[in-house]
Amino acid sequence: MFDCGPAATYKLQRAAIAPIDINHLFFTHHHYDHNADYPCFLLCRWDHEREDVPQLKVYGPQPTGLITERLIGPEGAFVDDWRVRVEHTASQEVYVARGGQVPRPAPNFDVKEISPGSKVATGLCRVTAGRAIHLQPMMECLTYRVDWNGGSVLITGDTGRHSAVVELARDVTTLVVNVWDHQTNMSPSLLSGFCGTLDAAEMAARANVQRLVVTHQGPNLVRPGSREKAVAEMAAIFKGELIFGEEFMTLNLN
């Protein structure tokens, strides 16, 4: 799972994916639209854990560890919630009914702060963290390349156009890029941390990817005629498959 923005846990359930089905969570950065549902996801996953559920591994830039501690640590915002669930007999009965065994353990997740160049093996995939260009130096921001037997994907989260993103995305099957607006509407300030339409298309073309998925779109790109214009302009530069992402869209990445 990459990022955990508003209503992410609910959307997982809508897509028939339970929190305990997720064993690895990667954060690109810590704007609220990328992490607001983190406490809900953590508590839901922990509340339904059993002995056969692997410990959740969480990766991200600073301050991923501090945020996690402030949420579910011994002095965290949700300590009263999970302490009651651990210690009260009624909550223990519910836990046992779900397949758990008492004494119930407190929330415990494997959280690692990583940086560009970090590599993570998940068992099925190889994940490489790279540099994204997004509101530095006030906020750390990463992009992730995922490789497996049969395909590859690079997920940017938020970024402006940058050679480091192109190099990490080289020859991936699928590139997922945020696009805020038409290139002509992008100010120099916006371009320092966000992609315009042509930025995304040019990065995809330079990286020789097969498919470009536009996500995290600004409001102007959904207006009548605006998306059609964006598609035409981007397709003139990038000759592969071009997709504008929608909620609950499912793609075959192999």
Side-chain angles (χ1 to χ4, degrees), residues 82-159:
W82 65 253
R83 183 170 291 158
V84 169
R85 297 178 191 274
V86 167
E87 299 177 1
H88 198 284
T89 55
S91 291
Q92 291 172 355
E93 286 190 33
V94 172
Y95 177 60
V96 171
R98 289 175 177 161
Q101 296 182 2
V102 293
R104 186 178 190 180
N108 183 29
F109 307 106
D110 184 359
V111 181
K112 289 185 172 65
E113 291 184 347
I114 59 177
S115 56
S118 297
K119 297 181 183 297
V120 176
T122 69
L124 296 176
C125 301
R126 303 173 302 280
V127 182
T128 304
R131 185 184 182 202
I133 307 303
H134 186 59
L135 310 186
Q136 282 93 343
M138 297 180 68
M139 178 173 289
E140 294 295 326
C141 189
L142 299 175
T143 186
Y144 293 100
R145 175 172 179 148
V146 187
D147 291 276
W148 64 94
N149 294 333
S152 52
V153 60
L154 186 128
I155 298 173
T156 61
D158 275 315
T159 189

Side-chain angles (χ1 to χ4, degrees), residues 9-70:
T9 309
Y10 167 75
K11 293 175 184 179
L12 283 175
Q13 292 290 133
R14 283 278 306 273
I17 301 172
I20 59 173
D21 293 333
I22 304 295
N23 296 331
H24 300 82
L25 170 60
F26 294 85
F27 282 108
T28 60
H29 63 296
H30 286 293
H31 273 138
Y32 79 85
D33 53 325
H34 294 257
N35 72 4
D37 209 48
Y38 188 37
C40 181
F41 176 76
L42 284 180
L43 290 167
C44 283
R45 192 186 190 281
W46 168 76
D47 199 29
H48 290 82
E49 284 179 0
R50 304 176 303 271
E51 290 184 351
D52 61 333
V53 177
Q55 183 185 41
L56 177 69
K57 297 180 182 297
V58 181
Y59 304 91
Q62 294 181 341
T64 301
L66 179 61
I67 290 172
T68 308
E69 184 71 13
R70 286 175 171 174

Side-chain angles (χ1 to χ4, degrees), residues 224-238:
S226 183
R227 175 168 296 183
E228 291 76 7
K229 176 185 175 184
V231 169
E233 292 174 346
M234 296 174 73
I237 297 171
F238 173 65

